[in-house]
Amino acid sequence: MKVGIIGAGNIGTTAARLFTKAGHEVAISNSRGPDSLRDLTAELGPTVRAMTVWDATRFVEMAMEAIPLGKYVLLPAAELKGKIPISAADYYHQRDGEIDFGGLSQSEFLARHLPGVRLVKAFNTMYFRHLATMGDIRLPLEERIAVYLAGDDAEAKTTVAKLIEEIGFASVDTGSLRESKKQEPGSPIYNQPMRAREARQALAQL
């Protein structure tokens, strides 16, 4: 699969390494342009390309956005239409400034900004070092560390769940984009690594 990554910070570069190792073609981008990513692409090999944000989203079937949520207006809505954006961003008032979500979850708000996409909220609850080190494809799914996901498109969630499993984690579904509030900052499951069976038990208490 062709997977794009918007944002080359800790989560974005970690995801690029994992997706490449799992056999996917990766297009990685950031706000500084492809030249700033030459060392990273040289390290990761020929299946990773540095592109502009717009080219990266045209090239792929699925794109992870791993930028501060306050920069959501920079996401290329037209290029993402009909595709699966994975939202790994979270809102932090001190960093992102005041955003009026109008009662929506963060992912509902983002989906409204990107009409026609099949948005899935995932990878947002995990510290990048845990993402880099805790995946293990040798374990049965219920014994793997959980990556939570939420969305309104069942097929898109299935596609993202497969990607999660390919890099050694287990997907645990928190529900719709509305219900993705369960995996936002402040939730008891946020940044709390748990095996899949434990994660489902924790969700049942929310």
Side-chain angles (χ1 to χ4, degrees):
M1 183 183 294
K2 294 177 179 179
V3 183
I5 297 175
I6 304 169
N10 290 330
I11 288 289
T13 55
T14 299
R17 289 186 176 92
L18 293 172
F19 298 161
T20 301
K21 186 177 179 181
H24 297 288
E25 293 182 66
V26 173
I28 189 164
S29 61
N30 63 13
S31 59
R32 298 182 300 280
D35 285 348
S36 67
L37 298 168
R38 284 182 177 175
D39 289 347
L40 178 65
T41 55
E43 173 198 339
L44 296 182
T47 61
V48 180
R49 289 189 260 178
M51 296 183 173
T52 67
V53 171
W54 294 270
D55 286 340
T57 47
R58 290 189 193 102
F59 165 77
V60 303
E61 303 153 68
M62 179 164 54
M64 171 189 280
E65 62 84 8
I67 62 175
L69 192 63
K71 297 183 178 180
Y72 72 93
V73 294
L74 301 178
L75 295 172
E79 287 78 7
L80 286 169
K81 191 171 183 179
K83 298 183 178 181
I84 303 173
I86 303 171
S87 176
D90 285 313
Y91 173 64
Y92 292 99
H93 178 268
Q94 298 91 332
R95 180 194 65 191
D96 299 319
E98 192 67 39
I99 299 177
D100 181 5
F101 292 101
L104 301 175
S105 69
Q106 295 171 23
S107 50
E108 283 180 303
F109 179 85
L110 190 58
R112 187 175 66 178
H113 175 68
L114 301 170
V117 304
R118 305 161 64 200
L119 189 138
V120 175
K121 182 79 167 179
F123 293 100
N124 69 298
T125 65
M126 186 170 286
Y127 181 47
F128 79 96
R129 294 193 191 279
H130 295 163
L131 183 62
T133 60
M134 288 186 168
D136 190 343
I137 60 173
R138 299 167 298 178
L139 294 175
L141 288 176
E142 287 302 293
E143 294 302 316
R144 296 184 188 184
I145 298 298
V147 171
Y148 299 99
L149 81 167
D152 294 338
D153 185 303
E155 185 179 9
K157 284 204 285 188
T158 297
T159 301
V160 175
K162 182 180 178 184
L163 181 66
I164 289 168
E165 292 171 10
E166 287 173 345
I167 62 172
F169 294 90
S171 65
V172 173
D173 194 336
T174 64
S176 65
L177 292 181
R178 180 68 176 173
E179 293 172 304
S180 68
K181 289 183 177 182
K182 297 173 185 176
Q183 61 190 79
E184 291 180 0
S187 165
I189 65 171
Y190 189 79
N191 200 19
Q192 298 294 325
M194 287 181 265
R195 301 196 184 278
R197 52 185 170 76
E198 299 165 338
R200 292 191 177 90
Q201 292 169 1
L203 273 177
Q205 304 302 314
L206 299 182

